[in-house]
Amino acid sequence: MNQAVPSEPLAAPSPATLLCVDDEPNILSALRRLFRTHGYKVLTADSGAAGLAVLREQPVDLVISDMRMPGMDGAQFLEQVRQDWPDTVRLLLTGYSDIQSILAAINRGEIFRYITKPWDDNDIALIVRHALERRELERLAQRQNEELRQLNQTLEAKVEARTRDIAQANQKLKANFITTIKILAGMVELRDPAMAGHSRRVADLARRIANRIGLPAQEAQEVFIAGLLLDVGKIGFADDMLRVPPNQLTGDKLGAFRRFPVQGAQLLMPLEEMRGVAAILRAQ
């Protein structure tokens, strides 16, 4: 009995990397302990300048920055993060009810949320998790939009190529159609060598007249084709009938000759695109 080969285990997703920036060592220690228990990789910096140095060295998924720090405050630091690493989620940590400072961080740093000190461990962990989930959803939406854009480009290219192929096929069919008609007209003329080139001359003259009087292109084309096929109803005539001038025919032969326009129209009627031509032949 065949034994199933165990599949390779899927690689676990890499833990998100957090950067905590605060000038108070005890705050950094508390944040590092909290987030490491949740499986995150935690980096720390004691100033805005040190935080920027960390960001230049390695990728960071989320930044938590204190508001009040010497040298570079949280709003300035998060604004720089937004400019240089816009994909990094930004959170503000503040122990002051300074609305203006919070608004500056929101407007300049475009922060996801602000968190007040002292924080609740469960609340801040939930905020970070939601922020990272939202970041992943945004990345997924961007990837899907890009895939959709590429798919649309591929489909447009395929449609254009297919349209060109159809246009070329239609041109070939049209050329083959006219060639077939000319062959059919030539078969009639082969029965009577004296009529060689007659249908072509009639067709050319008829088309020039149709164009001169301003017939639509479709009708002018039908007039031209009718000129090529004007004698197709004679294809069943006996050789002796084709050799006798019409004004010398009598009796049954004259009756048969007078029916050739109807017979020509009947030959073409089964073809829908030839019904206009058939009507012209019938009216000879």
Side-chain angles (χ1 to χ4, degrees):
M1 182 174 65
N2 293 333
Q3 294 183 348
V5 178
S7 59
E8 291 292 333
L10 295 176
S14 301
T17 300
L18 311 185
L19 171 61
C20 301
V21 182
D22 199 299
D23 61 328
E24 298 183 39
N26 61 322
I27 296 293
L28 291 179
S29 296
L31 291 172
R32 182 168 51 241
R33 285 194 305 270
L34 170 63
F35 290 117
R36 280 182 176 174
T37 61
H38 287 273
Y40 298 114
K41 178 181 178 182
V42 182
L43 308 174
T44 60
D46 58 6
S47 67
L52 294 177
V54 172
L55 286 163
R56 294 187 188 103
E57 292 177 357
Q58 57 186 300
V60 172
D61 299 298
L62 181 143
V63 170
I64 303 175
S65 173
D66 186 29
M67 182 63 202
R68 297 299 181 97
M69 296 183 295
M72 178 185 295
D73 65 20
Q76 294 171 322
F77 169 68
L78 293 174
E79 180 181 12
Q80 192 65 45
V81 174
R82 178 185 64 81
Q83 292 176 356
D84 295 345
W85 299 275
D87 197 38
T88 299
V89 184
R90 298 168 294 281
L91 301 179
L92 178 69
L93 189 64
T94 177
Y96 300 88
S97 57
D98 185 349
I99 299 301
Q100 293 303 319
S101 297
I102 294 173
L103 289 176
I106 293 174
N107 294 330
R108 295 163 58 185
E110 295 182 3
I111 63 172
F112 176 73
R113 289 281 297 276
Y114 72 88
I115 304 161
T116 58
K117 300 176 183 178
W119 63 81
D120 179 274
D121 284 353
N122 292 328
D123 288 345
I124 194 172
L126 188 62
I127 290 171
V128 167
R129 192 185 80 186
H130 286 170
L132 293 172
E133 288 175 349
R134 176 180 173 182
R135 176 176 179 264
E136 287 307 308
L137 287 174
E138 290 174 349
R139 285 180 169 180
L140 176 61
Q142 291 174 353
R143 288 196 300 269
Q144 291 175 337
N145 288 337
E146 178 60 22
E147 290 171 0
L148 182 60
R149 185 187 66 81
Q150 293 178 358
L151 178 61
N152 286 337
Q153 288 181 339
T154 301
L155 289 175
E156 288 173 2
K158 288 183 177 179
V159 169
E160 290 178 1
R162 181 59 176 163
T163 301
R164 288 194 299 268
D165 291 343
I166 291 174
Q168 292 173 358
N170 286 339
Q171 285 296 111
K172 187 174 182 180
L173 284 173
K174 184 177 180 181
N176 290 341
F177 178 66
I178 297 297
T179 300
T180 301
I181 289 171
K182 291 178 179 178
I183 292 173
L184 185 59
M187 291 174 61
V188 178
E189 293 181 354
L190 285 175
R191 299 283 311 284
D192 184 4
M195 297 294 292
H198 172 67
S199 63
R200 179 70 195 197
R201 291 191 295 272
V202 171
D204 288 338
L205 179 59
R207 179 164 54 184
R208 290 200 298 272
I209 295 172
N211 292 333
R212 180 67 63 86
I213 65 177
L215 286 183
Q218 178 64 30
E219 294 183 20
Q221 179 75 352
E222 289 178 346
V223 167
F224 172 73
I225 294 173
L228 289 174
L229 298 177
L230 82 163
D231 288 327
V232 72
K234 299 178 182 177
I235 201 166
F237 284 7
D239 291 343
D240 59 340
M241 275 190 64
L242 290 174
R243 287 193 291 269
V244 177
N247 60 0
Q248 296 180 16
L249 293 173
T250 59
D252 292 341
K253 290 184 178 181
L254 179 59
F257 177 83
R258 289 174 175 171
R259 288 195 298 274
F260 90 83
V262 175
Q263 292 172 341
Q266 289 175 343
L267 285 174
L268 301 182
M269 282 300 292
L271 300 173
E272 183 176 352
E273 63 272 19
M274 295 290 284
R275 289 176 183 172
V277 176
I280 296 173
L281 294 184
R282 175 68 180 81
Q284 288 190 78

